[in-house]
Amino acid sequence: MSIASGLRGRHLTRRLVQLYVGLALYGTSSALLVRGGLGLEPWGVLHQGLAERTGLSIGVVSIVVGAIVLLLWIPIRQRPGLGTVSNVFVIGLAMDGTLALVPETDGLPAGIALLVLGIVLNGVATGLYIAARFGPGPRDGLMTGLHRLTGRSIRLVRTAIEIAVVATGFLLGGSVGVGTVLYALAIGPLAQFFLRWFAVPEREEREAEAPGTEMPRTEMPEAEAVAVAEAAGPVAEAAVPGAEAAVPGAQVP
């Protein structure tokens, strides 16, 4: 997928809205986890640790890390889409904007409320931007690229990357806690649910591009299958056709 290749079809406006609303909500949800103070999602742990060490805002760190990860696509021959480039900037900006508006909280009840809201909102955001089908985020693409090159399972590659990210972030001062565990357990089912909820009719899109062409659909689109597998791990790999069979050019958020 090139950056411009997905900019067509009868649902283009809806897909663009989903993409940018989803990315903005993703940044907002990550900021709520920060304010909750009970633990962050894996990449959030790394971003927070680097922010503590560098003095940069966590949103700026997210943008810098996303750009660096995107550069790693070059040797593994992944191709970015509009969603890939947008992911780098929109999430970080939304994080910093939300942190500027939402004050720090005191007390466990407020922390739990922000944690739950952040995780659910993250699931909504994931469903929105992945279902828009504008290409994977930098971190997702790194996972699928390594999966393709090494032949290792999505679950194994995802787990190895996230363990390395969390461990590095923790050593740098990032927040690991009950929220990190709850996020890992909940984001898979939430992502699966909201991917179905926000799915854009792909067959109609294809028919609009090539009228009269029959495009049979026997299983979940590869992009969605890989995305669900990335989020849900072994549950999705067992339950979703195509989740473990990603091929070169897989487009995933």
Side-chain angles (χ1 to χ4, degrees), residues 66-175:
I68 292 172
V69 172
L70 189 54
L71 290 176
L72 296 177
W73 284 30
I74 296 173
I76 62 177
R77 298 182 179 180
Q78 288 284 93
R79 291 177 295 173
L82 175 64
T84 311
V85 178
S86 299
N87 182 295
V88 172
F89 297 99
V90 176
I91 291 178
L93 293 173
M95 283 186 68
D96 278 351
T98 303
L99 289 171
L101 295 173
V102 178
E104 295 186 8
T105 59
D106 294 322
L108 186 59
I112 292 174
L114 287 174
L115 171 65
V116 173
L117 179 59
I119 291 175
V120 173
L121 194 60
N122 194 277
V124 173
T126 300
L128 279 167
Y129 87 80
I130 291 180
R133 302 197 315 273
F134 279 111
R139 299 155 186 83
D140 299 326
L142 177 64
M143 178 202 67
T144 55
L146 290 175
H147 158 71
R148 173 173 55 83
L149 287 179
T150 65
R152 302 295 184 180
S153 71
I154 290 173
R155 181 177 63 212
L156 178 61
V157 173
R158 166 183 171 265
T159 300
I161 291 174
E162 293 194 349
I163 287 176
V165 164
V166 170
T168 303
F170 178 72
L171 291 174
L172 291 172
S175 175

Side-chain angles (χ1 to χ4, degrees), residues 113 124 218 248 252:
V124 173
T218 58
V252 186

